[in-house]
Amino acid sequence: EEQLLESGGGLVQPGGSLRLSCAASGFTFSNCVMNWVRQAPGKGLEWVSTISTGGGSTYYADSVKGRFTISRDNSKNTVYLQVNSLRADDTAVYYCAKGRHDSSGWYWNFDYWGQGTLVTVSS
Amino acid sequence: EIVLTQSPATLSFSPGERATLSCRASQSVSNKLAWYQQKPAQAPRLLIYDASNRATGIPARFSGSGSGTDFTLTISSLEPEDFAVYYCQQRSNWPPTFGPGTKVDIK
């Protein structure tokens, strides 16, 4: 059974940093594109970032580009999101999500999700 | 960036009723539209991808249709566990975007 477990969230002051982690199990992690999607309190879903299977390609939403960095360690089945220069509007639950793929390739859909880790930016 | 619109924001049904939810795109997304279900304090779950394909383990009462700019998610007979928020998401153009969601609640 596919499982994703996020950690690393917490309360941080504006301008601060955190490193979010997502540990994967139950599937061949190194074959899968991984993503971060966030949800502000009471709001909808926002795609944040994507990393390719080997880590050589990364993608970011304009709202986080230059402040957030996605990375992965396939030996540890873990994907990370380094979040820097945090602002109040970054307050959200951050979900790790596996990218949907089949024999033809991978797609910008999210077929398995972790339970999320809450990041609160406040002084 | 493609904007997805879901209206109304809330729909009310009784268990056993048929529910039809709408998603409209600001430009054509072909069939590259997915639907997700989110229950309170839970992560989203992929229901439908590429407009009409059910994801693994999704019951047959969920179906999707549409192409271009107009899409529909249909729940043929609402079960108690189906009362939730439903989001559409397009993958036709980067960046992937989500609609604002439709809440299906109990009448």
Side-chain angles (χ1 to χ4, degrees):
Chain A
E1 179 188 0
E2 292 85 349
Q3 288 195 335
L4 298 167
L5 183 62
E6 301 95 336
S7 61
L11 174 64
V12 60
Q13 293 187 338
S17 298
L18 285 172
R19 189 195 198 199
L20 310 183
S21 300
C22 171
S25 61
F27 61 96
T28 306
F29 179 77
S30 58
N31 288 351
C32 295
V33 169
M34 297 300 297
N35 308 270
W36 289 93
V37 178
R38 69 183 180 182
Q39 186 170 36
K43 303 297 185 182
L45 300 166
E46 179 188 18
W47 169 80
V48 172
S49 185
T50 295
I51 188 166
S52 61
T53 54
S57 296
T58 56
Y59 309 84
Y60 299 94
D62 286 345
S63 58
V64 307
K65 195 175 299 182
R67 300 186 299 123
F68 290 12
T69 303
I70 191 171
S71 62
R72 66 191 294 161
D73 185 337
N74 286 346
S75 69
K76 296 182 178 179
N77 286 358
T78 301
V79 60
Y80 305 97
L81 187 68
Q82 178 69 40
V83 296
N84 298 330
S85 303
L86 283 163
R87 312 184 301 222
D89 63 357
D90 293 318
T91 294
V93 174
Y94 285 72
Y95 293 104
C96 169
K98 173 180 163 292
R100 183 176 68 84
H101 75 284
D102 61 20
S103 57
S104 299
W106 68 275
Y107 309 96
W108 294 95
N109 294 138
F110 315 104
D111 58 2
Y112 292 97
W113 300 61
Q115 285 305 300
T117 186
L118 175 63
V119 173
T120 304
V121 184
S122 175
S123 54
Chain B
E1 174 174 311
I2 292 179
V3 176
L4 299 176
T5 303
Q6 294 181 252
S7 61
T10 303
L11 288 169
S12 298
F13 299 97
S14 300
E17 284 193 298
R18 180 184 184 91
T20 302
L21 284 65
S22 171
C23 177
R24 176 165 288 177
S26 58
Q27 65 189 77
S28 176
V29 299
S30 183
N31 70 330
K32 296 176 173 58
L33 189 103
W35 292 92
Y36 299 81
Q37 176 194 66
Q38 187 178 32
K39 299 177 184 179
Q42 293 188 19
R45 177 174 69 147
L46 177 65
L47 298 176
I48 302 286
Y49 64 91
D50 292 352
S52 61
N53 296 284
R54 276 190 301 276
T56 303
I58 302 304
R61 64 180 182 274
F62 291 94
S63 63
S65 63
S67 65
T69 61
D70 291 297
F71 298 86
T72 299
L73 174 69
T74 300
I75 310 170
S76 60
S77 178
L78 281 161
E79 298 287 341
E81 62 267 28
D82 298 336
F83 292 92
V85 180
Y86 292 84
Y87 295 95
C88 55
Q89 178 244 325
Q90 67 82 22
R91 67 172 185 87
S92 176
N93 282 23
W94 189 90
T97 52
F98 292 87
T102 292
K103 182 179 182 180
V104 174
D105 68 11
I106 300 176
K107 186 185 293 182

